[in-house]
Amino acid sequence: MPQLDSSGGGAGGGDDLGAPDELLAFQDEGEEQDDKSRDSAAGPERDLAELKSSLVNESEVAAGGAGVPGAGAGAGGEAEVGAEALGRQHTSQRLFPDKLAESLEDGLKAPECASGMYKDTVYSAFNLLMHYPPPSGAGQHPQPQPPLHNKASQPAHGVPQLSPLYEHFSSPHPTPAPADISQKQGVHRPLQTPDLSGFYSLTSGSMGQLPHTVSWPSPPLYPLSPSCGYRQHFPAPTAAPGTPYPRFTHPSLMLGSGVPGHPAAIPHPAIVPPSGKQELQPYDRTLKTQAESKAEKEAKKPTIKKPLNAFMLYMKEMRAKVIAECTLKESAAINQILGRRWHALSREEQAKYYELARKERQLHMQLYPGWSARDNYGKKKRRSREKHQESNTGGKRNAFGTYPEKAAAPAPFLPMTVL
DNA sequence: TGACCTTTGAAGTTA
DNA sequence: TAACTTCAAAGGTCA
């Protein structure tokens, strides 16, 4: 049983952010330890074979109209997938009629996909993280944090995405941000610990949002592979001698255009305009009423993204690897593989990501004390997904991602709740 | 152009 | 409090 939060409060020194589900998940993991041991012993080839087998079975189900429940999920170590995943796999099979299975088949055919599947899992980011000082640890000099009254009061371009924390650890150039910058530049919400500032950098996914006005050698700085966000293999930026390495590693440093003395303001990628469209030019704006402008302004408030959970961090790290190994590109297919790999991970391996995710949540809380996941509710339009699900499965997906009407598998976390 | 697909986990909402 | 819903990443796909 991994001691995520109970062993001295973890690396973060706080149990408050330890997600209950982590422990629950591990409890569940513990019950499946035998299965996982068998999985591990069998090696990646077995996993792939099962995955492939499941896909074949799913195709058979699709073709025959009625398959054998559970057969598609494989046997033995895949029991966890079994009934619980049946609904999802039915769904996926339904939604990716042949393409998904085909793409997965193609990917699995690649020898490197099977051979390298579980090798060389890189946890360098986590290892670095483990040496990371606690956010509000002893010896620090916490600065007063002005409360976050509302998002409108935030700097319009100062919203980091927490995942860069993770990415930053993989960076060959962990550039600690100067602690004094936040003070000099009127940072809205300084970090408690200057060390933390070094873990915020621009993410891969939104690099294109950076304006070209930024005066540094842009190409080498950003992750070239938007799919993985890795930075560790990127060449060092080639700046002129004496040119300071561009530092935008902290949201406090990513100041908006309204900040005096900062012509090269950098909107952080985590600040996602809801529409993704350019704002109206000033002369266009005159055409709008004040009310409309106000409403528009409200709608265009920067979005603070949710911190990534353990699985998301795992996906972010492993996605590129899976893509390279399996020559897959469809995220849906890749995510299926990653989901299975995630289940195949040992508890210790998963614990690393849980801990990493806990760190991200800690940082997120420190940076945005007033932020709530609720803030982003409704920002994504779910057009007719519910309708699709209901019509196709006869019911809504429950909290465990299953469809109770079809998959009556017990809740995986039930044992822990009993305990 | 933007929702959908797919995955798990966290957190919010609802009954 | 259990059950349910939404969002987080990612990129191809499709309406």
Side-chain angles (χ1 to χ4, degrees), chain A residues 10 81 108 114 151 154 181 322 339 366 395:
Chain A
V81 179
L108 295 173
K151 285 183 298 184
Q154 291 183 351
I181 289 185
V322 171
Q366 283 198 347

Side-chain angles (χ1 to χ4, degrees), chain A residues 116-262:
Chain A
M117 193 165 234
Y118 292 92
K119 291 191 295 186
D120 302 330
T121 302
V122 179
Y123 295 116
S124 57
F126 174 80
N127 292 335
L128 282 167
L129 181 62
M130 290 300 96
H131 295 86
Y132 181 68
S136 56
Q140 305 285 347
H141 301 286
Q143 304 170 5
Q145 288 195 1
L148 181 64
H149 301 295
N150 53 52
K151 285 183 298 184
S153 67
Q154 291 183 351
H157 306 287
V159 185
Q161 194 167 23
L162 275 254
S163 54
L165 174 151
Y166 165 78
E167 293 177 15
H168 184 91
F169 288 114
S170 300
S171 169
H173 305 289
T175 56
D180 58 335
I181 289 185
S182 59
Q183 298 167 358
K184 290 178 182 176
Q185 298 173 344
V187 169
H188 182 68
R189 295 175 51 200
L191 282 174
Q192 287 185 340
T193 57
D195 293 337
L196 287 177
S197 60
F199 297 119
Y200 289 89
S201 57
L202 294 173
T203 56
S204 59
S206 308
M207 291 304 172
Q209 299 177 12
L210 286 171
H212 295 295
T213 57
V214 179
S215 57
W216 60 66
S218 52
L221 285 175
Y222 305 127
L224 301 179
S225 173
S227 60
C228 61
Y230 286 169
R231 301 182 89 183
Q232 62 261 38
H233 300 307
F234 296 157
T238 56
T243 301
Y245 188 85
R247 292 175 177 177
F248 44 89
T249 56
H250 186 276
S252 302
L253 308 181
M254 288 165 247
L255 299 167
S257 55
V259 178
H262 285 276

